[in-house]
Amino acid sequence: MLVVVLSVLMSFIVSVIVCAGAWLLSQRSKYDREKNSPFECGFDPKASARVPFSMRFFLLAVIFLIFDVEIALLLPFPFVGVGVFSIVSVSSVFGFLVVLLLGLLHEWREGSLDWIG
């Protein structure tokens, strides 16, 4: 019984010490202007919220998302088809890659992949 009481008392004392230390350390940075302002992905939160959004950034994000999904769709193919590489499965993966490559070439020719321009 004494061991249980000492364990609970020790846990309580350690918890109080950790909380007091955190409170004392937080008082030091309480008046820092940068830490008190919210961080909104690099945007100034005190400026206008109606700033035009870059369409190039949005298009590049969509292209990244498409190619990210492509990797997720193509990654299982070598693992599933280790022993069964049929003509149908290889041609379907090849067709999928051709469509994605044509899309990439179209975006490249259109200039969507150029960040500055």
Side-chain angles (χ1 to χ4, degrees):
M1 182 71 169
L2 183 62
V3 174
V4 173
V5 171
L6 286 176
S7 297
V8 170
L9 186 61
M10 198 62 143
S11 299
F12 181 73
I13 290 172
V14 169
S15 298
V16 168
I17 290 173
V18 168
C19 286
W23 183 75
L24 287 173
L25 290 175
S26 72
Q27 294 299 316
R28 210 173 62 176
S29 65
K30 195 173 200 175
Y31 301 107
D32 191 8
R33 181 182 179 276
E34 293 298 322
K35 289 188 179 180
N36 283 336
S37 67
F39 181 71
E40 298 289 337
C41 300
F43 297 111
D44 185 16
K46 297 183 177 46
S48 175
R50 303 287 182 214
V51 178
F53 192 69
S54 172
M55 196 60 163
R56 286 190 181 273
F57 179 75
F58 177 74
L59 188 59
L60 199 63
V62 169
I63 291 170
F64 171 76
L65 187 64
I66 288 171
F67 284 102
D68 194 38
V69 170
E70 168 209 356
I71 295 298
L73 290 174
L74 287 177
L75 187 63
F77 175 70
F79 300 114
V80 172
V82 168
V84 194
F85 280 111
S86 67
I87 296 294
V88 174
S89 63
V90 172
S91 63
S92 65
V93 168
F94 183 70
F96 185 65
L97 286 174
V98 165
V99 168
L100 283 171
L101 185 64
L102 289 175
L104 177 65
L105 291 174
H106 172 71
E107 294 294 330
W108 191 2
R109 184 178 270 178
E110 188 180 82
S112 299
L113 299 177
D114 296 331
W115 186 255
I116 300 172

Coordinates of all heavy atoms in Angstrom, one line a residue, residues 24-110:
L24 N 6.7 28.7 -16.6 CA 7.7 29.7 -16.4 C 8.4 30.0 -17.8 O 8.8 31.2 -18.1 CB 8.8 29.3 -15.4 CG 8.3 29.3 -13.9 CD1 9.3 28.7 -13.0 CD2 8.0 30.7 -13.5
L25 N 8.7 29.0 -18.5 CA 9.3 29.2 -19.8 C 8.4 29.9 -20.8 O 8.8 30.6 -21.7 CB 9.8 27.9 -20.4 CG 11.0 27.2 -19.7 CD1 11.2 25.9 -20.3 CD2 12.2 28.1 -19.8
S26 N 7.1 29.7 -20.7 CA 6.2 30.4 -21.6 C 6.0 31.9 -21.3 O 5.7 32.6 -22.2 CB 4.8 29.7 -21.6 OG 4.1 30.0 -20.4
Q27 N 6.3 32.3 -20.1 CA 6.2 33.7 -19.8 C 7.2 34.5 -20.5 O 7.0 35.7 -20.8 CB 6.3 33.9 -18.2 CG 5.2 33.3 -17.4 CD 3.9 33.9 -17.8 OE1 3.8 35.1 -17.9 NE2 2.9 33.1 -17.9
R28 N 8.3 33.9 -20.8 CA 9.4 34.7 -21.5 C 9.0 35.1 -22.9 O 9.4 36.2 -23.4 CB 10.6 33.8 -21.5 CG 11.9 34.5 -21.5 CD 13.1 33.6 -21.4 NE 13.1 32.8 -22.6 CZ 14.1 31.9 -22.8 NH1 15.0 31.8 -22.0 NH2 14.0 31.1 -23.9
S29 N 8.3 34.2 -23.6 CA 7.9 34.5 -25.0 C 6.5 35.1 -25.1 O 6.0 35.1 -26.3 CB 8.1 33.3 -25.8 OG 7.1 32.3 -25.4
K30 N 5.9 35.5 -24.1 CA 4.5 35.9 -24.1 C 4.4 37.2 -24.9 O 3.4 37.5 -25.5 CB 4.0 36.1 -22.7 CG 2.5 36.2 -22.6 CD 2.1 36.2 -21.2 CE 0.6 35.8 -21.1 NZ 0.2 35.6 -19.7
Y31 N 5.4 38.1 -24.8 CA 5.2 39.4 -25.4 C 5.9 39.6 -26.7 O 6.1 40.7 -27.2 CB 5.8 40.4 -24.4 CG 5.0 40.4 -23.1 CD1 5.6 39.8 -21.9 CD2 3.7 40.8 -23.0 CE1 4.9 39.8 -20.7 CE2 3.0 40.8 -21.8 CZ 3.6 40.2 -20.7 OH 2.9 40.2 -19.5
D32 N 6.3 38.5 -27.3 CA 6.9 38.5 -28.7 C 5.9 38.7 -29.7 O 4.9 37.9 -29.8 CB 7.7 37.2 -28.9 CG 8.6 37.2 -30.1 OD1 8.7 38.3 -30.7 OD2 9.1 36.2 -30.5
R33 N 6.0 39.8 -30.5 CA 5.0 40.1 -31.5 C 4.8 39.0 -32.6 O 3.7 38.7 -33.0 CB 5.3 41.4 -32.2 CG 4.3 41.9 -33.2 CD 4.7 43.2 -33.9 NE 3.8 43.6 -34.9 CZ 3.7 43.2 -36.1 NH1 4.6 42.3 -36.5 NH2 2.8 43.6 -37.0
E34 N 5.9 38.4 -33.0 CA 5.9 37.4 -34.1 C 5.2 36.2 -33.6 O 4.5 35.5 -34.4 CB 7.3 37.1 -34.6 CG 8.0 38.3 -35.3 CD 7.2 38.7 -36.5 OE1 6.7 37.8 -37.2 OE2 7.2 39.9 -36.8
K35 N 5.4 35.8 -32.4 CA 4.8 34.6 -31.9 C 3.3 34.8 -31.6 O 2.6 33.8 -31.6 CB 5.5 34.1 -30.7 CG 6.9 33.5 -31.0 CD 7.5 32.9 -29.8 CE 8.9 32.3 -30.2 NZ 9.6 31.7 -29.1
N36 N 2.9 36.0 -31.3 CA 1.5 36.2 -31.0 C 0.6 36.3 -32.3 O -0.6 36.2 -32.2 CB 1.3 37.5 -30.2 CG 1.7 37.3 -28.8 OD1 1.6 36.1 -28.3 ND2 2.1 38.3 -28.1
S37 N 1.3 36.6 -33.4 CA 0.5 36.7 -34.7 C 0.3 35.4 -35.3 O 1.3 34.6 -35.3 CB 1.2 37.7 -35.6 OG 2.4 37.1 -36.1
P38 N -0.8 35.1 -35.9 CA -1.0 33.7 -36.5 C -0.2 33.6 -37.8 O -0.1 34.6 -38.5 CB -2.5 33.7 -36.8 CG -2.9 35.1 -36.9 CD -2.0 35.9 -36.0
F39 N 0.2 32.4 -38.1 CA 1.0 32.2 -39.3 C 0.1 31.6 -40.3 O -0.5 30.5 -40.1 CB 2.2 31.2 -39.0 CG 3.0 31.0 -40.2 CD1 3.8 31.9 -40.7 CD2 2.9 29.7 -40.8 CE1 4.6 31.7 -41.9 CE2 3.7 29.5 -42.0 CZ 4.5 30.4 -42.5
E40 N -0.1 32.3 -41.4 CA -1.0 31.8 -42.5 C -0.3 31.5 -43.8 O -0.4 32.2 -44.7 CB -2.1 32.9 -42.7 CG -3.0 33.2 -41.5 CD -3.9 32.1 -41.2 OE1 -4.2 31.3 -42.2 OE2 -4.4 32.0 -40.1
C41 N 0.6 30.6 -43.7 CA 1.3 30.1 -44.9 C 2.1 31.3 -45.6 O 2.1 31.4 -46.8 CB 0.4 29.5 -45.9 SG -0.5 28.1 -45.3
G42 N 2.7 32.1 -44.8 CA 3.5 33.2 -45.4 C 2.7 34.4 -45.7 O 3.3 35.4 -46.1
F43 N 1.4 34.4 -45.6 CA 0.6 35.6 -45.9 C 0.5 36.5 -44.6 O 0.4 36.0 -43.5 CB -0.8 35.3 -46.4 CG -0.8 34.5 -47.7 CD1 -1.2 33.2 -47.7 CD2 -0.4 35.1 -48.8 CE1 -1.2 32.5 -48.9 CE2 -0.4 34.5 -50.0 CZ -0.8 33.1 -50.1
D44 N 0.5 37.8 -44.8 CA 0.4 38.7 -43.7 C -1.1 38.7 -43.2 O -2.0 39.0 -44.0 CB 0.8 40.1 -44.1 CG 0.8 41.1 -42.9 OD1 0.7 40.6 -41.8 OD2 0.8 42.3 -43.2
P45 N -1.4 38.3 -42.0 CA -2.8 38.1 -41.6 C -3.5 39.5 -41.4 O -4.7 39.6 -41.3 CB -2.7 37.4 -40.3 CG -1.4 37.6 -39.7 CD -0.5 37.8 -41.0
K46 N -2.7 40.6 -41.3 CA -3.3 41.9 -41.1 C -3.6 42.6 -42.4 O -4.2 43.7 -42.4 CB -2.4 42.7 -40.2 CG -2.3 42.0 -38.8 CD -1.5 42.8 -37.9 CE -1.4 42.2 -36.5 NZ -1.1 40.8 -36.4
A47 N -3.2 42.0 -43.5 CA -3.4 42.6 -44.8 C -4.8 42.1 -45.4 O -5.5 41.4 -44.7 CB -2.3 42.2 -45.8
S48 N -5.1 42.6 -46.5 CA -6.4 42.2 -47.2 C -6.4 40.7 -47.5 O -5.4 40.2 -48.0 CB -6.6 43.0 -48.4 OG -7.8 42.6 -49.1
A49 N -7.5 40.1 -47.2 CA -7.7 38.7 -47.5 C -8.1 38.4 -49.0 O -8.2 37.3 -49.4 CB -8.7 38.1 -46.6
R50 N -8.3 39.5 -49.7 CA -8.8 39.3 -51.1 C -7.7 39.5 -52.1 O -7.9 40.2 -53.1 CB -9.9 40.4 -51.4 CG -11.1 40.2 -50.5 CD -11.9 39.0 -50.8 NE -13.1 38.9 -49.9 CZ -13.6 37.8 -49.5 NH1 -13.0 36.7 -49.9 NH2 -14.6 37.8 -48.8
V51 N -6.5 39.0 -51.8 CA -5.4 39.1 -52.7 C -5.6 38.0 -53.8 O -5.9 36.9 -53.5 CB -4.1 38.8 -51.9 CG1 -2.9 38.9 -52.9 CG2 -3.9 39.9 -50.8
P52 N -5.3 38.4 -55.1 CA -5.5 37.4 -56.2 C -4.5 36.3 -56.0 O -3.4 36.5 -55.7 CB -5.3 38.2 -57.4 CG -4.5 39.5 -57.0 CD -4.9 39.7 -55.6
F53 N -5.0 35.1 -56.3 CA -4.2 33.9 -56.1 C -3.6 33.5 -57.5 O -4.2 33.7 -58.5 CB -5.1 32.7 -55.7 CG -4.4 31.5 -55.2 CD1 -3.7 31.5 -54.1 CD2 -4.4 30.3 -56.0 CE1 -3.0 30.4 -53.6 CE2 -3.8 29.2 -55.6 CZ -3.0 29.2 -54.4
S54 N -2.3 33.1 -57.4 CA -1.6 32.8 -58.7 C -2.2 31.6 -59.3 O -2.2 30.5 -58.8 CB -0.1 32.6 -58.3 OG 0.5 32.1 -59.5
M55 N -2.6 31.7 -60.6 CA -3.2 30.6 -61.3 C -2.1 29.6 -61.7 O -2.4 28.4 -61.7 CB -3.9 31.1 -62.6 CG -4.8 30.1 -63.2 SD -6.0 29.7 -62.0 CE -7.2 28.9 -63.0
R56 N -0.9 30.1 -61.9 CA 0.2 29.1 -62.2 C 0.5 28.2 -61.0 O 0.7 27.0 -61.2 CB 1.5 29.9 -62.5 CG 1.5 30.6 -63.8 CD 2.9 31.1 -64.1 NE 2.9 31.8 -65.4 CZ 3.2 31.2 -66.5 NH1 3.4 29.9 -66.6 NH2 3.2 31.9 -67.7
F57 N 0.4 28.7 -59.8 CA 0.6 27.9 -58.6 C -0.4 26.8 -58.5 O -0.2 25.7 -58.2 CB 0.7 28.8 -57.4 CG 0.9 28.0 -56.1 CD1 2.1 27.5 -55.8 CD2 -0.2 27.8 -55.3 CE1 2.3 26.7 -54.6 CE2 0.0 27.0 -54.1 CZ 1.2 26.5 -53.8
F58 N -1.7 27.2 -58.8 CA -2.8 26.3 -58.7 C -2.7 25.2 -59.8 O -2.8 24.0 -59.5 CB -4.1 27.0 -58.9 CG -5.3 26.2 -58.9 CD1 -5.8 25.6 -57.8 CD2 -6.0 25.9 -60.1 CE1 -6.9 24.7 -57.8 CE2 -7.1 25.1 -60.2 CZ -7.5 24.5 -59.0
L59 N -2.3 25.6 -61.0 CA -2.1 24.6 -62.1 C -1.0 23.7 -61.8 O -1.1 22.5 -62.0 CB -1.9 25.4 -63.4 CG -1.9 24.5 -64.7 CD1 -3.2 23.8 -64.8 CD2 -1.6 25.4 -65.9
L60 N 0.1 24.2 -61.3 CA 1.2 23.3 -60.9 C 0.9 22.3 -59.8 O 1.3 21.2 -59.8 CB 2.4 24.2 -60.5 CG 3.8 23.5 -60.5 CD1 4.1 23.1 -62.0 CD2 4.9 24.4 -60.0
A61 N 0.0 22.8 -58.9 CA -0.4 21.9 -57.8 C -1.3 20.8 -58.3 O -1.2 19.6 -57.9 CB -1.1 22.7 -56.7
V62 N -2.2 21.1 -59.3 CA -3.0 20.1 -59.9 C -2.2 19.1 -60.7 O -2.5 17.9 -60.6 CB -4.1 20.8 -60.8 CG1 -4.8 19.8 -61.6 CG2 -5.1 21.6 -59.9
I63 N -1.2 19.6 -61.4 CA -0.4 18.7 -62.2 C 0.4 17.7 -61.2 O 0.5 16.5 -61.5 CB 0.6 19.5 -63.1 CG1 -0.2 20.2 -64.2 CG2 1.7 18.6 -63.6 CD1 0.7 21.1 -65.0
F64 N 0.9 18.3 -60.1 CA 1.6 17.4 -59.1 C 0.6 16.4 -58.6 O 1.0 15.2 -58.4 CB 2.1 18.3 -58.0 CG 2.6 17.5 -56.8 CD1 3.8 16.8 -56.9 CD2 1.8 17.3 -55.7 CE1 4.3 16.1 -55.9 CE2 2.3 16.6 -54.6 CZ 3.5 15.9 -54.7
L65 N -0.6 16.8 -58.3 CA -1.6 15.8 -57.8 C -1.9 14.7 -58.8 O -2.0 13.6 -58.4 CB -2.9 16.6 -57.4 CG -4.0 15.8 -56.7 CD1 -3.4 15.3 -55.4 CD2 -5.2 16.6 -56.5
I66 N -2.0 15.1 -60.1 CA -2.3 14.1 -61.1 C -1.1 13.1 -61.2 O -1.3 11.8 -61.2 CB -2.5 14.7 -62.5 CG1 -3.8 15.5 -62.5 CG2 -2.4 13.7 -63.6 CD1 -4.0 16.3 -63.7
F67 N 0.1 13.5 -61.1 CA 1.2 12.6 -61.2 C 1.5 11.9 -59.9 O 2.0 10.8 -59.9 CB 2.5 13.3 -61.7 CG 2.5 13.6 -63.1 CD1 2.2 14.9 -63.6 CD2 2.7 12.6 -64.0 CE1 2.1 15.2 -64.9 CE2 2.7 12.9 -65.4 CZ 2.4 14.1 -65.8
D68 N 1.0 12.4 -58.8 CA 1.0 11.7 -57.5 C 0.1 10.5 -57.6 O 0.4 9.4 -57.1 CB 0.7 12.6 -56.4 CG 1.1 12.1 -55.1 OD1 2.1 11.4 -55.0 OD2 0.3 12.3 -54.1
V69 N -1.1 10.7 -58.1 CA -2.1 9.7 -58.2 C -1.6 8.6 -59.2 O -1.8 7.4 -59.1 CB -3.5 10.2 -58.7 CG1 -4.5 9.2 -59.0 CG2 -4.1 11.1 -57.5
E70 N -0.9 9.1 -60.3 CA -0.3 8.2 -61.3 C 0.6 7.2 -60.6 O 0.6 6.0 -60.8 CB 0.4 8.9 -62.3 CG 1.2 8.0 -63.2 CD 2.5 8.7 -63.8 OE1 2.6 9.9 -63.6 OE2 3.3 8.0 -64.4
I71 N 1.5 7.7 -59.7 CA 2.4 6.8 -59.0 C 1.6 5.8 -58.1 O 2.0 4.6 -58.1 CB 3.4 7.7 -58.2 CG1 4.2 8.5 -59.1 CG2 4.2 6.8 -57.3 CD1 5.1 7.7 -60.0
A72 N 0.6 6.3 -57.5 CA -0.2 5.4 -56.6 C -0.9 4.3 -57.4 O -1.1 3.2 -57.0 CB -1.2 6.2 -55.8
L73 N -1.3 4.6 -58.7 CA -1.9 3.6 -59.5 C -0.9 2.6 -60.2 O -1.2 1.5 -60.4 CB -2.7 4.3 -60.6 CG -4.0 5.0 -60.1 CD1 -4.6 5.8 -61.3 CD2 -5.0 4.1 -59.5
L74 N 0.3 3.1 -60.4 CA 1.3 2.3 -61.1 C 2.2 1.5 -60.2 O 2.7 0.5 -60.6 CB 2.2 3.2 -62.0 CG 1.5 3.7 -63.3 CD1 2.5 4.6 -64.0 CD2 1.1 2.5 -64.2
L75 N 2.3 1.9 -58.9 CA 3.2 1.2 -58.0 C 2.8 -0.2 -57.8 O 3.7 -1.1 -57.7 CB 3.2 2.0 -56.7 CG 4.3 1.5 -55.7 CD1 5.7 1.6 -56.3 CD2 4.2 2.3 -54.4
P76 N 1.5 -0.6 -57.6 CA 1.2 -2.0 -57.4 C 1.5 -2.9 -58.5 O 1.5 -4.1 -58.3 CB -0.3 -2.0 -57.0 CG -0.6 -0.6 -56.7 CD 0.4 0.3 -57.5
F77 N 1.6 -2.4 -59.7 CA 1.7 -3.3 -60.9 C 2.8 -4.3 -60.9 O 2.6 -5.4 -61.1 CB 1.7 -2.4 -62.2 CG 2.0 -3.2 -63.4 CD1 1.0 -4.1 -63.9 CD2 3.2 -3.2 -64.1 CE1 1.2 -4.8 -65.0 CE2 3.4 -4.0 -65.2 CZ 2.4 -4.8 -65.7
P78 N 4.1 -3.8 -60.5 CA 5.2 -4.8 -60.5 C 5.0 -5.9 -59.4 O 5.4 -7.0 -59.5 CB 6.4 -4.0 -60.2 CG 6.1 -2.6 -60.6 CD 4.6 -2.5 -60.4
F79 N 4.3 -5.5 -58.3 CA 4.2 -6.4 -57.2 C 3.1 -7.4 -57.4 O 3.2 -8.6 -57.0 CB 3.9 -5.6 -55.9 CG 5.0 -4.7 -55.5 CD1 4.8 -3.3 -55.5 CD2 6.3 -5.2 -55.2 CE1 5.8 -2.5 -55.2 CE2 7.3 -4.3 -54.9 CZ 7.1 -3.0 -54.9
V80 N 2.0 -7.0 -58.1 CA 0.9 -7.9 -58.4 C 1.2 -8.8 -59.5 O 0.9 -10.0 -59.5 CB -0.4 -7.1 -58.7 CG1 -1.5 -8.0 -59.1 CG2 -0.8 -6.3 -57.4
G81 N 1.8 -8.2 -60.6 CA 2.1 -9.0 -61.8 C 3.4 -9.6 -61.8 O 4.0 -9.8 -62.9
V82 N 4.0 -10.0 -60.7 CA 5.4 -10.6 -60.7 C 5.5 -11.9 -61.6 O 6.3 -12.0 -62.4 CB 5.8 -10.9 -59.3 CG1 7.1 -11.8 -59.3 CG2 6.0 -9.6 -58.5
G83 N 4.5 -12.8 -61.4 CA 4.6 -14.0 -62.2 C 3.6 -14.0 -63.4 O 3.7 -14.9 -64.3
V84 N 2.7 -13.0 -63.5 CA 1.7 -13.0 -64.5 C 1.8 -11.8 -65.4 O 0.9 -10.9 -65.3 CB 0.3 -13.2 -63.9 CG1 -0.7 -13.5 -64.9 CG2 0.3 -14.1 -62.7
F85 N 2.8 -11.6 -66.2 CA 2.9 -10.5 -67.1 C 2.3 -10.9 -68.4 O 2.9 -11.3 -69.3 CB 4.4 -10.1 -67.3 CG 5.0 -9.3 -66.2 CD1 6.0 -9.8 -65.4 CD2 4.5 -8.0 -65.9 CE1 6.5 -9.1 -64.3 CE2 5.1 -7.3 -64.9 CZ 6.1 -7.8 -64.1
S86 N 1.0 -10.6 -68.5 CA 0.3 -10.9 -69.7 C 0.3 -9.7 -70.6 O 0.6 -8.6 -70.2 CB -1.2 -11.3 -69.4 OG -1.9 -10.1 -68.9
I87 N 0.0 -9.9 -71.9 CA 0.0 -8.9 -72.9 C -1.0 -7.8 -72.5 O -0.8 -6.6 -72.7 CB -0.3 -9.5 -74.3 CG1 0.8 -10.4 -74.7 CG2 -0.5 -8.4 -75.3 CD1 2.1 -9.8 -74.9
V88 N -2.2 -8.2 -72.0 CA -3.2 -7.2 -71.6 C -2.8 -6.3 -70.5 O -3.0 -5.1 -70.6 CB -4.5 -8.0 -71.2 CG1 -5.6 -7.0 -70.7 CG2 -5.0 -8.8 -72.4
S89 N -2.2 -6.9 -69.5 CA -1.7 -6.0 -68.3 C -0.6 -5.1 -68.7 O -0.6 -3.9 -68.4 CB -1.3 -6.9 -67.1 OG -0.2 -7.7 -67.5
V90 N 0.4 -5.6 -69.5 CA 1.5 -4.7 -69.9 C 1.0 -3.7 -70.9 O 1.4 -2.5 -70.8 CB 2.6 -5.6 -70.5 CG1 3.7 -4.7 -71.2 CG2 3.2 -6.5 -69.5
S91 N 0.1 -4.0 -71.8 CA -0.4 -3.0 -72.7 C -1.3 -2.0 -72.0 O -1.2 -0.8 -72.4 CB -1.1 -3.6 -73.9 OG -2.3 -4.3 -73.4
S92 N -2.0 -2.4 -71.0 CA -2.8 -1.4 -70.3 C -2.0 -0.4 -69.5 O -2.2 0.8 -69.5 CB -3.8 -2.1 -69.4 OG -3.2 -2.8 -68.3
V93 N -0.9 -0.9 -68.9 CA 0.0 0.0 -68.2 C 0.8 0.9 -69.2 O 0.9 2.1 -68.9 CB 1.0 -0.8 -67.3 CG1 2.2 0.1 -66.8 CG2 0.3 -1.5 -66.2
F94 N 1.2 0.3 -70.3 CA 1.8 1.1 -71.3 C 0.9 2.2 -71.9 O 1.3 3.4 -72.1 CB 2.3 0.2 -72.4 CG 3.1 1.0 -73.5 CD1 4.3 1.5 -73.3 CD2 2.5 1.1 -74.8 CE1 5.0 2.1 -74.2 CE2 3.2 1.8 -75.7 CZ 4.5 2.3 -75.5
G95 N -0.4 1.9 -72.1 CA -1.4 2.9 -72.6 C -1.6 4.0 -71.5 O -1.7 5.1 -71.9
F96 N -1.6 3.6 -70.3 CA -1.8 4.6 -69.2 C -0.6 5.5 -69.2 O -0.8 6.8 -69.1 CB -1.9 3.8 -67.9 CG -2.2 4.7 -66.7 CD1 -3.4 5.4 -66.6 CD2 -1.3 4.8 -65.7 CE1 -3.7 6.2 -65.5 CE2 -1.5 5.6 -64.6 CZ -2.7 6.3 -64.5
L97 N 0.6 5.0 -69.3 CA 1.8 5.8 -69.3 C 1.8 6.7 -70.6 O 2.3 7.9 -70.5 CB 3.0 5.0 -69.3 CG 3.3 4.4 -67.9 CD1 4.5 3.4 -68.0 CD2 3.6 5.5 -66.9
V98 N 1.4 6.2 -71.7 CA 1.3 7.0 -72.9 C 0.4 8.2 -72.8 O 0.7 9.4 -73.2 CB 1.0 6.2 -74.2 CG1 0.6 7.0 -75.4 CG2 2.1 5.3 -74.5
V99 N -0.8 8.0 -72.2 CA -1.8 9.1 -72.0 C -1.2 10.1 -71.1 O -1.3 11.3 -71.3 CB -3.1 8.5 -71.5 CG1 -4.0 9.6 -71.0 CG2 -3.8 7.7 -72.5
L100 N -0.5 9.7 -70.0 CA 0.1 10.6 -69.1 C 1.2 11.4 -69.7 O 1.4 12.6 -69.5 CB 0.5 9.9 -67.8 CG -0.6 9.6 -66.8 CD1 -0.1 8.7 -65.7 CD2 -1.2 10.8 -66.3
L101 N 2.0 10.7 -70.5 CA 3.1 11.4 -71.2 C 2.6 12.4 -72.2 O 3.2 13.5 -72.3 CB 4.0 10.3 -71.9 CG 5.3 10.9 -72.5 CD1 6.2 11.4 -71.5 CD2 6.0 9.8 -73.3
L102 N 1.6 12.1 -72.9 CA 1.0 13.0 -73.8 C 0.4 14.3 -73.1 O 0.6 15.4 -73.5 CB -0.1 12.4 -74.7 CG 0.3 11.4 -75.7 CD1 -0.9 10.7 -76.4 CD2 1.2 12.1 -76.7
G103 N -0.2 14.0 -71.9 CA -0.7 15.1 -71.1 C 0.5 16.0 -70.6 O 0.4 17.2 -70.6
L104 N 1.6 15.4 -70.2 CA 2.8 16.1 -69.8 C 3.4 16.9 -70.9 O 3.7 18.1 -70.7 CB 3.8 15.2 -69.2 CG 5.1 15.8 -68.7 CD1 4.9 16.7 -67.6 CD2 6.1 14.7 -68.4
L105 N 3.5 16.4 -72.1 CA 4.0 17.1 -73.2 C 3.1 18.3 -73.6 O 3.6 19.3 -73.9 CB 4.1 16.2 -74.4 CG 5.3 15.1 -74.3 CD1 5.3 14.2 -75.5 CD2 6.6 15.8 -74.1
H106 N 1.8 18.1 -73.5 CA 0.8 19.2 -73.8 C 1.0 20.3 -72.8 O 1.1 21.5 -73.1 CB -0.6 18.7 -73.7 CG -1.6 19.7 -73.8 ND1 -1.9 20.4 -75.0 CD2 -2.5 20.3 -72.9 CE1 -2.8 21.3 -74.7 NE2 -3.2 21.3 -73.5
E107 N 1.1 20.0 -71.5 CA 1.3 21.0 -70.4 C 2.7 21.7 -70.6 O 2.8 22.9 -70.4 CB 1.3 20.4 -69.0 CG -0.1 19.8 -68.7 CD -1.1 20.9 -68.5 OE1 -0.8 22.1 -68.2 OE2 -2.3 20.6 -68.8
W108 N 3.7 20.9 -71.0 CA 5.0 21.5 -71.2 C 5.0 22.5 -72.4 O 5.5 23.6 -72.4 CB 6.0 20.4 -71.5 CG 7.4 20.8 -71.5 CD1 8.0 22.0 -71.2 CD2 8.5 19.9 -71.7 NE1 9.3 22.0 -71.3 CE2 9.7 20.7 -71.6 CE3 8.6 18.6 -72.0 CZ2 11.0 20.1 -71.7 CZ3 9.9 18.0 -72.1 CH2 11.0 18.8 -72.0
R109 N 4.3 22.1 -73.5 CA 4.3 22.9 -74.7 C 3.4 24.1 -74.5 O 3.7 25.2 -75.0 CB 3.7 22.1 -75.9 CG 3.6 22.8 -77.2 CD 3.1 22.0 -78.3 NE 4.2 21.3 -78.9 CZ 4.1 20.4 -79.9 NH1 2.9 20.1 -80.3 NH2 5.2 19.8 -80.4
E110 N 2.4 24.0 -73.7 CA 1.5 25.1 -73.3 C 2.2 26.2 -72.4 O 1.9 27.3 -72.4 CB 0.3 24.6 -72.6 CG -0.8 25.6 -72.4 CD -2.0 25.0 -71.7 OE1 -1.9 24.9 -70.5 OE2 -2.9 24.6 -72.4

